[in-house]
Amino acid sequence: MPKLRDVCPRVRSKVAGPFWVTIDLFFDSREAFDRYHDDPAIQPPSVAVVYGVDPALVALYKVPDLNMVKISYPRPTPQGGVVERDMHSGQQFVFLLDVEMR
Amino acid sequence: MQAQFTQVRLFVPVGSLGAGVRADEVEAAIERGFDVMAMDAGSTDSGAAYLATGTSKNNRSAVKADLLLAMGAQARTGAKLIVGTAGQAGGDANVDWTVEIVREIAREKGYRPRIAVIYSEQTQATIKAKLAAGKVQPLAPLGPLDEATIEACDHIVALMGPEPYVAALDQGADIIIGGRSTDPAVLAAFPIWKGAPAGAAWHAGKTGECGAQCTLGSNLGTGVFLTIDAEGFEAEPLLPQNKCTVHTVSAHMLYENKNPFQLHEPGGMLDVSNARYEQVSDTRVRVTGSVWTPRPYTMKLEGAGGGLYQTLMLVGIADPFVLENLNLFHDRMQRALTRRIERTMGEAAGKFDVSLRIYGWNAVSGRPVPDDAPPPREVGVLCVITAETQDLANQMAKACNPYFFHLPLADGIELPSYGFPWTPAEVPRGQVYEFKLNHVVEVDDPLELVRFKWIDLAAAPEAAHA
């Protein structure tokens, strides 16, 4: 089975305010978007497991005009605490790259 | 009432004041002609320190250099100049710091603008009264607000919409320096004042909030030029080598946003689900169909405060024996440092935390690494000690110093020395600053929580300093 990194060439993450992270998945064609945007591996229940957050708060948006999927989830701890390791959450996308797509 | 609205030409010189306005883009904008320059000067992205301490992220000379270009263009053209979220966080101290630079430039250059200063910092008492009146609501993922959380904030700001800026324009401001505002509101204010349709004004504001980021080459310029008309808006770069495309303009709605279609703003919601993006020339994109729906007026609150203190130490390790056993090394070091603090300081240590981050291994993720992972060539180990005061954190680091630099991987082997890069080895880092609020406050009027100050240099010019 391919991994997300094999089917989606551009993935980025960033804070959306101090309490949220948003991940943008840019597929490189409409065909790839159509094939993978509904994949269980990137739906809220699976994403919640990867990041250890409440699945009810994970949101997924499809933007077919841009062949992209957006996933937003609450930060496990607010930006900048005692154990902060990634202030912009800019490296958080990496932990989604190896999920297995069907 | 305004006359029939035709169009507003909005020049955004840069995504954030102090990031580097380009003189060639300012000249290009003047040649083209514009009605207003607007930009924000901050964000929460860089962390809570700037609101908690009332300081700017950008250095003073960088902000002054940008203001020199912007105020110069304002003086030459007579177009309005609007800066929001002044001084990175938009608290009162951040605003006053920026206004002082504006006055200095006016003095040096002999400019005589009418300056409106708009403050949106809130006292703890104001927010407590709003809370008691049931006018403060939480935003996910936080729960209801309590008084202790309000008291933990060193500074609290309410994010302004366009209305305070519109009020200042009504009263004849040439330059407006505003406190914390939503990014799109700073850009949308002037078009809304002129009678532009709210959907187009807000969407244009969102598109231009980061300057050239909505263009193809954010390395080819810093600004963007927006024309808002009765049906929509158009976005284009300032310089001919750059361009806006349907992709670059529509994709900006994704950036730093939870939701790519809807944006909650003071007094309403912008919905771009049915927006149409059209390439109308090689460099210009036209956008229509953005919808603004008014809602009960709320302002988002941001509050930040300083808590515990940290001291840092760093070592570099290239020793293959350690690199082949990094998980073991981490756990052994963690135990040794924690015990060392407990033994040497006892009760006096208070609440403390030792965090070892092995860069080159798992420092960024903090996640376990499988035991069969190949060893890296080198790692840097950052030791972050957190305590109730700076002095305590420093003492702990000093107590840990010999262990952190010399702890062998196993008992009974020769004493190693890891590569530490400076002396003294302990770096007092200061306080940990955190955002405490993610709530909205209901207001009866958009100006209820806002204060104005006028500096009218047209009436009383700044005395030139000798």
Side-chain angles (χ1 to χ4, degrees), chain A residues 65-82:
Chain A
D65 288 348
L66 294 170
N67 296 328
M68 71 85 63
V69 169
K70 190 173 193 51
I71 302 167
S72 299
Y73 65 91
R75 253 176 165 267
T77 58
Q79 188 187 26
V82 167

Side-chain angles (χ1 to χ4, degrees), chain B residues 304-349:
Chain B
L308 302 169
Y309 292 77
Q310 294 183 325
T311 299
L312 312 178
M313 294 187 289
L314 178 70
V315 291
I317 301 179
D319 179 340
F321 184 45
V322 176
L323 297 175
E324 281 157 18
N325 297 280
L326 278 170
N327 288 338
L328 175 68
F329 178 78
H330 172 277
D331 294 350
R332 186 175 162 86
M333 181 68 87
Q334 176 83 43
R335 265 196 313 276
L337 300 188
T338 304
R339 279 190 199 148
R340 172 76 173 167
I341 292 169
E342 286 166 354
R343 278 201 206 121
T344 55
M345 297 178 66
E347 296 280 303

Side-chain angles (χ1 to χ4, degrees), chain B residues 234-411:
Chain B
E234 296 185 3
E236 58 190 313
L238 276 305
L239 300 177
Q241 62 266 37
N242 198 358
K243 58 171 74 177
C244 285
T245 69
V246 166
H247 183 92
T248 65
V249 171
S250 61
H252 192 72
M253 267 307 281
L254 307 172
Y255 190 64
E256 300 176 329
N257 261 8
K258 259 168 72 182
N259 182 324
F261 301 116
Q262 296 180 334
L263 207 56
H264 293 275
E265 290 288 332
M269 188 186 70
L270 173 68
D271 191 324
V272 305
S273 308
N274 296 313
R276 288 177 302 280
Y277 300 85
E278 193 187 345
Q279 194 78 45
V280 290
S281 83
D282 192 37
T283 60
R284 203 163 80 240
V285 170
R286 178 164 182 78
V287 184
T288 52
S290 327
V291 177
W292 173 259
T293 309
R295 293 255 177 105
Y297 205 95
T298 60
M299 296 170 85
K300 192 176 172 191
L301 296 173
E302 287 169 358
L308 302 169
Y309 292 77
Q310 294 183 325
T311 299
L312 312 178
M313 294 187 289
L314 178 70
V315 291
I317 301 179
D319 179 340
F321 184 45
V322 176
L323 297 175
E324 281 157 18
N325 297 280
L326 278 170
N327 288 338
L328 175 68
F329 178 78
H330 172 277
D331 294 350
R332 186 175 162 86
M333 181 68 87
Q334 176 83 43
R335 265 196 313 276
L337 300 188
T338 304
R339 279 190 199 148
R340 172 76 173 167
I341 292 169
E342 286 166 354
R343 278 201 206 121
T344 55
M345 297 178 66
E347 296 280 303
K351 200 174 90 178
F352 73 93
D353 180 74
V354 175
S355 170
L356 295 168
R357 298 145 190 217
I358 306 185
Y359 284 90
W361 190 239
N362 70 343
V364 179
S365 72
R367 295 174 177 222
V369 182
D371 282 329
D372 61 356
R377 277 179 59 82
E378 284 189 5
V379 294
V381 186
L382 181 68
C383 174
V384 182
I385 295 178
T386 307
E388 287 166 6
T389 68
Q390 188 69 67
D391 193 46
L392 280 169
N394 295 347
Q395 278 185 54
M396 288 174 197
K398 284 177 197 292
C400 289
N401 174 319
Y403 288 72
F404 187 56
F405 297 139
H406 302 288
L407 184 76
L409 187 61
D411 295 329

Side-chain angles (χ1 to χ4, degrees), chain B residues 58-240:
Chain B
N58 288 321
N59 76 57
R60 193 180 190 283
S61 27
V63 172
K64 185 173 179 182
D66 281 4
L67 278 171
L68 271 167
L69 287 167
M71 287 175 66
Q74 195 282 321
R76 267 169 71 189
T77 62
K80 310 287 187 186
L81 168 61
I82 301 177
V83 175
T85 309
Q88 184 69 22
D92 287 2
N94 307 83
V95 172
D96 287 338
W97 180 85
T98 309
V99 169
E100 206 276 319
I101 301 171
V102 170
R103 296 187 76 143
E104 180 176 289
I105 292 170
R107 202 157 56 227
E108 289 170 359
K109 297 287 180 186
Y111 300 149
R112 298 180 59 178
R114 226 168 114 69
I115 303 167
V117 186
I118 314 178
Y119 297 99
S120 66
E121 182 159 343
Q122 309 300 316
T123 63
Q124 292 183 2
T126 301
I127 301 306
K128 284 181 184 175
K130 282 285 188 187
L131 179 64
K135 303 275 191 189
V136 179
Q137 312 304 337
L139 298 174
L142 294 197
L145 189 57
D146 56 37
E147 293 217 343
T149 305
I150 297 173
E151 286 163 8
C153 295
D154 295 329
H155 293 279
I156 298 171
V157 289
L159 276 71
M160 295 188 279
E163 295 81 1
Y165 294 91
V166 168
L169 290 165
D170 268 341
Q171 292 173 58
D174 298 310
I175 296 178
I176 305 174
I177 305 297
R180 185 65 170 125
S181 313
T182 77
D183 290 353
V186 179
L187 274 55
F190 185 95
I192 286 172
W193 180 56
K194 284 291 187 189
W202 278 102
H203 196 179
K206 172 62 192 170
T207 302
E209 63 170 351
C210 292
Q213 196 159 318
C214 67
T215 69
L216 193 60
S218 41
N219 55 332
L220 299 175
T222 63
V224 66
F225 196 91
L226 301 160
T227 308
I228 297 100
D229 59 42
E231 268 78 49
F233 74 95
E234 296 185 3
E236 58 190 313
L238 276 305
L239 300 177

